[in-house]
Amino acid sequence: MAALVCVSDFERYAHEHLPKSARDYYFSGASGQQTLEENTAAFRRLRLRPRVLRDVSRVSTETTLLGRRIAFPICAAPTGIQRMAHPDGEIATAKALADLSSCMTLSWWSTTSIEDVARSAPGGVRWFQLHIDSSRETTVDLIRRAEKMGYEAIVLTVDMPMMGQRYDHIRNRFVLPRSLKFENFSKETASKFSETQSQGNPRMARRLQTMIDPTLNWDSVPWLISVTRLPIVLKGILTGKDAREAVERGVSGIWVSNHGARQLDGVPATIEVLSEIVHAVDGRAEIYLDGGIRHGTDVLKALALGARAVFVGRPILFGLAYKGADGVKQVMEILREEFRTAMALSGCTSLNDISRALVAHESYYWSKL
């Protein structure tokens, strides 16, 4: 087998080797998948404007997230049911990110418990992604478990009051594999999913839907802040107006995301709305971005437009499918080295050198032709 040298190579491997149900679950987007395509295409419409004759013999990719130092600004986004990609699942991801001194965000839909992930990678930087349950007591219990195990932020997903329409899931009558369960749910809830699996019920989404509170609103944010000592990051922001509201409600971070294009199809690519959100926040909170990151140059473009760090989801799954923790490390190391090279070739020796002047939309050059 030829060496895998870029994220696309790992993507092809995963597509060829994963079972169809897992492949379609991981790869699919919502409805007609317009936004899924745009997440990557939008990066290609941006051009880099490098400066030359700079001393780039030493290039540092270090930065901080909410005050915690990490080695490079590429982190793991929350992706559910990772043990469909590899038996070690979330534990493999946690080990890989800890070894590389970056941040992992554990999904609410994890097939490994909060506790087991933390024990597998002591000292690693970990955040916990949260949906507010229809039972506030259940929500607080999850937060307490995350606090106890050393997670450093709560990432509240705000773009999922109900499940998006995902055609491949419907066609495949997707259910959780019998050997797996959502390890952070209560025994009672887990048993209900077991019943769904044993009966071959294709309506697993309905069961999941009953667990997410559709009444979630802006008043829920101060409540969440009041019940935890951890900083709150809102994930799923796509407009400047919502970003301003979030900052006014006291959050520490804004995560620009369209849920991997799995919720509302037809929304913009995340990189397209980043500048608007940076302007609205005006330095009052850290800003992160996911969606469509496949190259180190994509990372550079996102940071130039104002993101503090980017988070990758599907590339983590591609690495898991290839070789577990080692596969995840390879994917992340490729992205890190591509990013470092892109910095050097653009005349940047630290993240402080990366500025808005480094990026232009392709239309900037049309009038020059």
Side-chain angles (χ1 to χ4, degrees):
M1 185 175 61
L4 307 187
V5 300
C6 62
V7 171
S8 294
D9 288 345
F10 287 84
E11 182 174 5
R12 281 191 290 271
Y13 180 93
H15 196 274
E16 293 169 2
H17 290 83
L18 284 171
K20 177 175 171 52
S21 60
R23 180 176 70 241
D24 288 351
Y25 179 83
Y26 291 146
F27 279 74
S28 63
S31 303
Q33 303 191 138
Q34 175 189 358
T35 300
L36 183 64
E37 296 172 5
E38 283 299 304
N39 269 353
T40 52
F43 278 102
R44 294 194 293 272
R45 292 192 289 269
L46 299 177
R47 303 288 183 263
L48 291 169
R49 295 168 53 80
R51 299 298 304 276
V52 297
L53 294 177
R54 307 262 180 115
D55 180 355
V56 292
S57 55
R58 296 183 180 181
V59 176
S60 172
T61 60
E62 286 191 355
T63 188
T64 58
L65 294 183
L66 300 175
R68 184 74 137 89
R69 186 158 295 281
I70 57 174
F72 56 104
I74 311 169
C75 309
T79 51
I81 322 181
Q82 290 190 11
R83 288 178 61 200
M84 281 201 307
H86 189 276
D88 293 339
E90 293 85 2
I91 284 178
T93 301
K95 288 180 176 179
L97 271 293
D99 286 348
L100 295 172
S101 298
S102 188
C103 174
M104 175 203 183
T105 310
L106 181 66
S107 172
W108 197 62
W109 314 101
S110 174
T111 42
T112 311
S113 72
I114 290 170
E115 291 79 9
D116 286 346
V117 169
R119 294 186 190 109
S120 71
V125 182
R126 293 179 304 278
W127 292 0
F128 180 62
Q129 180 244 353
L130 180 75
H131 292 271
I132 291 186
D133 196 284
S134 50
S135 163
R136 292 293 192 269
E137 182 179 347
T138 299
T139 300
V140 173
D141 178 64
L142 284 169
I143 292 169
R144 294 290 174 264
R145 290 168 61 189
E147 290 175 337
K148 181 179 179 180
M149 297 309 299
Y151 290 74
E152 299 180 24
I154 298 296
V155 178
L156 176 64
T157 292
V158 296
D159 59 359
M160 197 173 175
M162 61 180 61
M163 301 282 285
Q165 289 288 326
R166 303 168 192 175
Y167 294 156
D168 284 342
H169 297 194
I170 299 169
R171 292 188 186 103
N172 292 336
R173 300 165 66 87
F174 179 80
V175 294
L176 192 68
R178 292 173 183 269
S179 60
L180 303 179
K181 62 181 179 178
F182 294 119
E183 292 287 353
N184 289 320
F185 295 169
S186 67
K187 291 182 179 179
E188 179 184 357
T189 300
S191 68
K192 290 179 181 178
F193 277 107
S194 296
E195 293 170 10
T196 300
Q197 292 163 267
S198 63
Q199 295 168 11
N201 188 339
R203 302 298 184 183
M204 190 177 81
R206 289 186 180 177
R207 180 71 70 190
L208 294 172
Q209 185 61 56
T210 64
M211 301 169 60
I212 299 173
D213 186 357
T215 69
L216 187 70
N217 58 64
W218 284 110
D219 290 336
S220 306
V221 176
W223 171 80
L224 183 61
I225 292 172
S226 75
V227 299
T228 181
R229 58 179 174 76
L230 298 178
I232 303 299
V233 175
L234 292 197
K235 178 179 179 292
I237 301 294
L238 288 175
T239 67
K241 186 173 183 179
D242 279 347
R244 279 191 296 271
E245 181 79 20
V247 171
E248 290 166 3
R249 297 283 179 163
V251 306
S252 300
I254 303 293
W255 189 321
V256 183
S257 176
N258 53 36
H259 212 101
R262 292 162 67 82
Q263 279 298 99
L264 179 62
D265 197 25
V267 301
T270 51
I271 194 67
E272 292 178 318
V273 301
L274 179 57
S275 292
E276 173 188 342
I277 291 170
V278 168
H279 178 73
V281 171
D282 194 26
R284 294 174 291 169
E286 293 187 357
I287 297 174
Y288 321 113
L289 175 140
D290 68 25
I293 302 288
R294 296 294 183 272
H295 305 280
T297 50
D298 297 337
V299 182
L300 183 59
K301 291 170 184 178
L303 267 61
L305 293 177
R308 188 170 191 86
V310 301
F311 287 75
V312 296
R314 288 183 176 91
I316 296 292
L317 299 171
F318 304 155
L320 279 175
Y322 175 62
K323 203 178 288 186
D326 287 342
V328 174
K329 283 186 71 172
Q330 287 181 51
V331 166
M332 296 298 285
E333 286 172 336
I334 285 169
L335 286 171
R336 179 184 64 185
E337 188 55 32
E338 287 182 351
F339 171 59
R340 183 181 178 280
T341 300
M343 283 181 62
L345 293 177
S346 298
C348 301
T349 60
S350 74
L351 271 59
N352 289 332
D353 293 335
I354 301 172
S355 70
R356 179 66 181 81
L358 187 59
V359 174
H361 190 269
E362 63 180 7
S363 60
Y364 173 83
Y365 293 98
W366 296 347
S367 62
K368 314 291 183 184
L369 296 178

